[in-house]
Amino acid sequence: MDYTVYSDMQIFELVCNGDERALQHFMSRFWQQLFKTAFHTFPDAVVCQELVQNVFIKIWGNREKIRLKYSIHTYLFSCIRYEVFHEIKKTMKHAELKNDEINYIDSFDPLIRMEYTELLDYVEQLIDNLPEKCRQVFYLSRIEQLNNKEIALQLNISPKTVENQISIAIKKLKQDISKNTILFFIFL
């Protein structure tokens, strides 16, 4: 079966249905992007490879239970950020931090986590509402962390267009966030 003709979501659905070859293709499709994301925050190549592998192991192990709320990209990059966070926390504990720092890390209560999750969901909705080309450029820049030349080559547009689209996206996101922040404070 030629998996290259399938969209990311179609491949993911095949993985969720237990297709091991689809999993291999899915991994090859996203491995490098997830590794780059992990390595950007935690610059240890060996550990980052393990973290990316953990993401795919968990996906395979939970494939029948996974229900996507947003795009597959959002889901995967949330998974890798979660893995990196736990690795950093584990590393920090092994480094025998001062008690104050450990207490700070462990002080996050469920309400704060819930608010943080809601904020991430809200920002994701705002990103999803951007015009398609603008959303693509913003995603490649901020999530996949490609530089403007790489984005221009991948999307077959000029680097200046990439800069403009990123500026448009940031301006639109700031406007939407500030509007809703004002409304939030009005209703408090």
Side-chain angles (χ1 to χ4, degrees), residues 13-153:
E13 288 171 3
L14 290 171
V15 169
C16 290
N17 290 326
D19 186 335
E20 289 183 42
R21 289 187 53 216
L23 176 66
Q24 291 172 349
H25 184 79
F26 189 70
M27 288 171 59
S28 67
R29 201 178 268 195
F30 289 102
W31 184 275
Q32 187 175 15
Q33 296 167 6
L34 294 177
F35 177 82
K36 267 175 119 173
T37 300
F39 193 75
H40 181 73
T41 305
F42 196 89
D44 181 331
V46 173
V47 172
C48 289
Q49 287 175 353
E50 291 173 11
L51 296 178
V52 173
Q53 186 173 357
N54 288 345
V55 168
F56 290 112
I57 289 169
K58 287 178 181 177
I59 288 173
W60 183 252
N62 296 308
R63 66 187 177 274
E64 296 171 352
K65 300 177 215 166
I66 298 173
R67 301 291 174 258
L68 295 181
K69 192 173 181 181
Y70 299 108
S71 72
I72 188 63
H73 296 275
T74 301
Y75 175 75
L76 288 173
F77 289 100
S78 296
C79 288
I80 195 63
R81 284 191 299 264
Y82 180 80
E83 290 291 324
V84 169
F85 169 76
H86 281 290
E87 186 62 30
I88 290 170
K89 189 173 178 181
K90 186 170 67 173
T91 302
M92 290 169 68
K93 282 185 179 179
H94 289 307
E96 298 181 1
L97 296 175
K98 295 180 230 167
N99 285 339
D100 291 344
E101 291 170 321
I102 291 174
N103 290 337
Y104 174 75
I105 292 168
D106 292 335
S107 70
F108 294 110
D109 65 16
L111 181 60
I112 293 172
R113 281 190 215 134
M114 185 179 76
E115 289 172 347
Y116 179 72
T117 302
E118 287 175 0
L119 178 63
L120 289 178
D121 288 346
Y122 173 68
V123 171
E124 182 62 34
Q125 287 174 351
L126 293 178
I127 292 170
D128 287 344
N129 290 333
L130 291 171
E132 184 178 348
K133 186 63 78 174
C134 191
R135 183 177 59 242
Q136 279 181 315
V137 170
F138 185 80
Y139 173 81
L140 292 171
S141 171
R142 296 306 193 256
I143 305 298
E144 293 189 25
Q145 299 166 354
L146 299 179
N147 65 39
N148 290 359
K149 283 185 180 180
E150 292 170 327
I151 296 169
L153 286 172

